[in-house]
Amino acid sequence: MSFRVKHQRARKLFISQALSHPKCPKSMDIIDRGGEGIKFTANTSNPDNLVRWWMRTIREAYPDSKPHDEGKYGHNITIPITTGVGMKLNKHTGELKLKGANHWEWFTTHIDALFDCSPDLATSKDGASEMIERSLGIQGIAVGTLIGQIPDCGCIKEGPLFTYTLWKSLLDYWFRMGSVVTIVTPQIDAERLSDILLIMLKNRGAGFMARLYIQEKCDGDVKFEKIKAVAVRILEAMKNSQTGKKMFSEEKIAWAAIELKVALQPFATSCNFIGMSRGGEAEIYTTSAKFHKTHFVSKTKDTVNFHRMQVVEYEQLYLEPLGMQYLSDTVNGGSSMVSHWQSLSTIGPRSRSMRSLKSSKSH
């Protein structure tokens, strides 16, 4: 792999870290333009709110800065930050551009502090969540109604009509609630992996943690690395039905790939379940269906069970036998984690370390 490719991948890691900041607005996108700078955009029907949000944030972080209107008509506000770094804010769209010879060095060392100074940004719905729900086939689905159809003893349900729909709906609900979510299956195809990433993107900013426990060869003889590549291409090809533009930037897709932690199973298992823990409580959805088109798309019938329990029981009964003890503690302040988790983005050719990139120039 060339140095240029490694360099670009590592830059995406930094962008994804900024997108993960708890005060980075959910609607915001951060787009790396290389030597031209970095663009910050956000979906809002009221750009004036976005302009005010930026100005309040920048004044709080840089009280000595002297913003001024630029050009004959003053469409932009120019904001000097430091030597070799400046910002340009479009007063009509709220788009901010970070520019200058030292813009990348500033971004890697100061973007967190800038977001720390920001107030909450209220943005209107842009329809993206609704588009994702339609794409997933879960719009209007009531998770509680589906769970209510599973008796305490479990039952048999059809894949496309029930098992798959509940799988997607539960993941969406659990991510939205900021849970630690664990996904275990020996088999997954690119479409189901793209479902997971898509649901993560829909719920960015909710504070969830996502873990996938999978075999290296997870679609017949196809290795997970290839499945991941196809899943990313599926997301890259998605279009916004209203604008015709891409639904997600490369940076946002990279964020999802980094946030999804993957462990390749060191031993064979035929377990299929998704589970969540939050605030001492846990839920688990088990099924005989693999997370694959052969069960979720074909009209296959599989057993399904749904249980609620304490986190201690969940860990002892379901996580520890697979070597995943203490995983559920990570979102609630615990520090113990299995050592073999890695970001989805690192499966395959490895990128240059972020530490080494910080000391390099961006040009």
Side-chain angles (χ1 to χ4, degrees), residues 52-309:
R52 287 192 290 268
W53 180 85
W54 274 121
M55 293 306 298
R56 287 180 60 187
T57 299
I58 294 167
R59 285 187 178 122
E60 180 69 21
Y62 295 94
D64 296 330
S65 181
K66 298 179 179 180
H68 60 274
D69 289 349
E70 177 187 81
K72 181 179 179 181
Y73 300 103
H75 294 313
N76 297 309
I77 301 173
T78 297
I79 309 161
I81 298 298
T82 187
T83 303
V85 182
M87 296 177 178
K88 183 184 290 187
L89 177 62
N90 188 305
K91 291 194 291 186
H92 300 293
T93 65
E95 178 182 287
L96 182 95
K97 293 181 180 178
L98 177 67
K99 305 176 69 176
N102 300 324
H103 81 274
W104 181 252
E105 181 180 358
W106 180 93
F107 179 82
T108 60
T109 55
H110 291 85
I111 190 61
D112 283 351
L114 183 68
F115 281 143
D116 285 340
C117 295
S118 66
D120 291 334
L121 173 63
T123 54
S124 59
K125 287 187 176 181
D126 65 329
S129 292
E130 289 81 359
M131 291 179 202
I132 293 174
E133 288 177 356
R134 286 197 297 271
S135 174
L136 291 166
I138 60 173
Q139 191 173 36
I141 297 295
V143 178
T145 300
L146 293 179
I147 293 174
Q149 296 180 35
I150 304 176
D152 292 342
C153 58
C155 61
I156 294 176
K157 292 288 187 180
E158 188 175 283
L161 295 178
F162 186 92
T163 313
Y164 186 26
T165 302
L166 181 55
W167 182 82
K168 292 180 287 187
S169 300
L170 271 174
L171 289 177
D172 181 45
Y173 176 69
W174 289 342
F175 286 155
R176 187 167 68 250
M177 297 302 293
S179 310
V180 174
V181 178
T182 306
I183 303 164
V184 177
T185 186
Q187 294 286 305
I188 196 168
D189 54 16
E191 287 77 10
R192 262 38 67 183
L193 181 58
S194 71
D195 286 343
I196 296 170
L197 296 173
L198 188 57
I199 298 170
M200 291 173 65
L201 285 163
K202 175 180 178 290
N203 293 286
R204 186 175 70 86
F208 62 81
M209 289 187 176
R211 303 289 186 263
L212 173 63
Y213 196 65
I214 189 72
Q215 290 180 358
E216 184 174 11
K217 290 185 177 180
C218 57
D219 187 3
D221 289 329
V222 181
K223 290 186 176 181
F224 184 75
E225 178 186 341
K226 291 185 177 180
I227 297 300
K228 179 203 76 171
V230 176
V232 168
R233 288 199 295 270
I234 291 172
L235 295 182
E236 290 174 341
M238 292 186 69
K239 301 286 186 180
N240 185 309
S241 60
Q242 295 178 351
T243 65
K245 297 180 180 179
K246 284 188 174 183
M247 181 79 78
F248 307 108
S249 67
E250 291 183 8
E251 288 80 3
K252 276 195 173 177
I253 296 173
W255 168 85
I258 290 166
E259 287 299 305
L260 178 60
K261 299 301 186 288
V262 179
L264 300 179
Q265 297 172 0
F267 50 83
T269 175
S270 58
C271 301
N272 302 281
F273 70 82
I274 55 175
M276 83 86 194
S277 62
R278 186 181 69 254
E281 302 292 328
E283 297 177 348
I284 187 166
Y285 173 47
T286 65
T287 176
S288 59
K290 296 178 175 62
F291 305 159
H292 191 275
K293 62 186 176 183
T294 54
H295 289 258
F296 280 172
V297 178
S298 301
K299 291 185 178 180
T300 305
K301 294 184 184 295
D302 284 283
T303 57
V304 293
N305 287 271
F306 182 84
H307 301 286
R308 293 186 174 95
M309 63 195 74

Side-chain angles (χ1 to χ4, degrees), residues 9-39:
R9 286 191 175 185
R11 286 174 74 100
K12 288 180 181 179
L13 291 178
F14 278 113
I15 297 288
S16 71
Q17 281 191 336
L19 288 168
S20 297
H21 191 285
K23 297 189 74 175
C24 177
K26 180 181 177 181
S27 61
M28 183 162 286
D29 204 350
I30 304 174
I31 301 173
D32 184 10
R33 297 300 190 191
E36 296 180 7
I38 296 173
K39 183 170 70 173

